[in-house]
């Protein structure tokens, strides 16, 4: 039931927005009473926190696998990171959009928790870039912080437009972006 | 007065959100009556449309200058596009955030107007990439649509984190990103 309430609210928050969605709307969506809602969540804000924590928790656990795969070099790990982000659009687009859009509706203590995890995710990607510099895969003089944010920009932006059912698959898009990030678009 | 109302609402929409901000809040912010507001705008939604049209209109006019500057090649024009987007954060961050976040609060006819202009902006950037391919600056087999969206991702994402008063200037950030986009991060 808890998951059903979460799923219904993800759908409604994405469609109408967090503020515009009432607890009554969420309960009504799956034909239960408000009492049922309050049995599982103290408030709508607690539910929003759960959506955020679920989403970033999912990304961090996927990232963990990528980082610890000793069979992959830094280029592969960057590839896997971008693929993971673009691939998760298929199932997690709504969660991701709520994640980016409704953050300011989190209570300050939840927001902080959330920011810490987001920062950890970004710093882990930066770790991959730095490993690549150290091991001689990437250029020595990179501003690894800014480059990491640029790479995340490429991947995260796709949440706003990418259609996984369209002409270009998530795998193809990842390869196009990795090629640009690694080798650039200049004619050699 | 109209501009004052727009400025006050940009501030409030960014801080509290469009739905959470009332006409009373906007009027109160600059100490005028609701009547004054309704003298200039039919509704809060019309004001939101104006913010969106102002913002995209500003980007399109800047873009026009870049495209028509015959002294610049395709690489320079890409540079100027990314710089223009990152540079405008200083003065237009709030407008930009409202642009991306509150789009779904636009009435359908306004939304369509807005999407057309956004598409035009993107297609113009794609035109720069295609010109570069034609003239032999960029690789022949680029997926220019996907590459354009990737470049816009790098630039637009910076609205979420870039601090123009920080260690890295808008000009430096542009150069870091152009270097990545043109030549990649791989060690040569």
């Amino acid at each position: 039931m808890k998951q059903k309430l979460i799923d219904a609210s993800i759908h409604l928050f994405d469609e109408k927005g967090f503020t515009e969605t009432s607890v009554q709307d969420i309960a009504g969506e799956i034909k239960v009473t408000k009492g049922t809602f309050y049995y599982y969540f103290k408030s709508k804000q607690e539910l929003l926190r759960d959506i955020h924590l679920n989403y970033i928790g999912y990304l961090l656990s996927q990232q963990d696998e990528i980082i610890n795969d000793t069979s992959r070099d830094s280029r592969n790990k960057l590839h896997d990171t971008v693929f993971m982000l673009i691939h998760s659009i298929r199932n997690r687009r709504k969660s991701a959009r709520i994640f980016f859009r409704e953050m300011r509706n989190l209570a300050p203590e939840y927001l902080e928790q959330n920011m810490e995890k987001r920062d950890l995710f970004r710093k882990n990607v930066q770790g991959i870039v730095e490993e690549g510099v150290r091991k001689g895969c990437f250029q020595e003089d990179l501003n690894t912080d800014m480059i990491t944010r640029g790479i995340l920009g490429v991947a995260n932006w796709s949440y706003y437009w990418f259609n996984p059912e369209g002409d270009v698959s998530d795998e193809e898009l990842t390869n196009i972006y990795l090629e640009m990030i690694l080798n650039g678009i200049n004619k050699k």
Side-chain angles (χ1 to χ4, degrees), chain A:
Chain A
M1 177 54 71
K2 193 171 181 181
Q3 193 55 47
K4 268 192 165 178
L5 285 162
I6 291 177
D7 291 345
S9 67
I10 287 176
H11 172 68
L12 290 167
F13 291 168
D14 185 52
E15 199 166 291
K16 302 170 41 167
F18 174 78
T19 318
E20 296 84 343
T21 303
S22 66
V23 169
Q24 182 57 59
D25 293 336
I26 299 167
E29 180 81 9
I30 54 169
K31 300 190 174 52
V32 297
T33 64
K34 278 166 74 173
T36 307
F37 177 93
Y38 286 113
Y39 178 80
Y40 291 100
F41 301 100
K42 259 191 289 189
S43 63
K44 206 174 61 161
Q45 208 159 46
E46 195 183 271
L47 171 61
L48 182 63
R49 184 204 56 175
D50 277 14
I51 294 173
H52 277 81
L53 288 180
N54 274 349
Y55 179 65
I56 191 72
Y58 162 81
L59 293 182
L60 284 169
S61 76
Q62 297 270 311
Q63 184 177 58
D64 216 44
E65 282 182 41
I66 293 172
I67 291 177
N68 294 314
D69 185 344
T70 49
S71 74
R72 310 279 283 163
D73 70 8
S74 311
R75 290 186 191 104
N76 294 144
K77 286 179 184 175
L78 265 194
H79 171 280
D80 296 349
T81 300
V82 171
F83 179 71
M84 184 259 282
L85 287 167
I86 293 179
H87 181 66
S88 69
I89 293 179
R90 194 183 293 270
N91 301 313
R92 304 222 166 210
R93 184 197 289 270
K94 287 181 183 178
S95 299
R97 281 202 294 236
I98 295 168
F99 184 75
F100 293 128
R101 204 161 49 194
E102 305 289 2
M103 217 167 336
R104 101 206 118 124
N105 283 312
L106 285 172
E109 69 272 26
Y110 296 161
L111 184 62
E112 203 177 313
Q113 232 182 337
N114 192 276
M115 294 299 279
E116 273 169 25
K117 285 174 190 271
R118 285 189 64 175
D119 285 351
L120 175 62
F121 183 85
R122 177 171 50 77
K123 295 239 166 86
N124 284 340
V125 178
Q126 192 174 336
I128 298 174
V129 177
E130 282 165 0
E131 183 194 66
V133 172
R134 234 173 18 248
K135 295 194 169 169
C137 289
F138 305 144
Q139 288 164 50
E140 283 142 39
D141 56 349
L142 290 185
N143 182 325
T144 56
D145 179 13
M146 298 299 131
I147 289 292
T148 300
R149 293 172 191 267
I151 294 169
L152 288 173
V154 173
N156 287 339
W157 195 248
S158 64
Y159 280 83
Y160 289 108
W161 62 266
F162 181 58
N163 171 17
E165 319 296 336
D167 285 345
V168 176
S169 72
D170 44 16
E171 210 150 330
E172 284 165 333
L173 187 63
T174 304
N175 289 334
I176 291 170
Y177 284 159
L178 253 289
E179 182 56 27
M180 176 177 86
I181 291 163
L182 295 178
N183 297 315
I185 66 173
N186 262 349
K187 190 154 183 173
K188 302 296 173 301

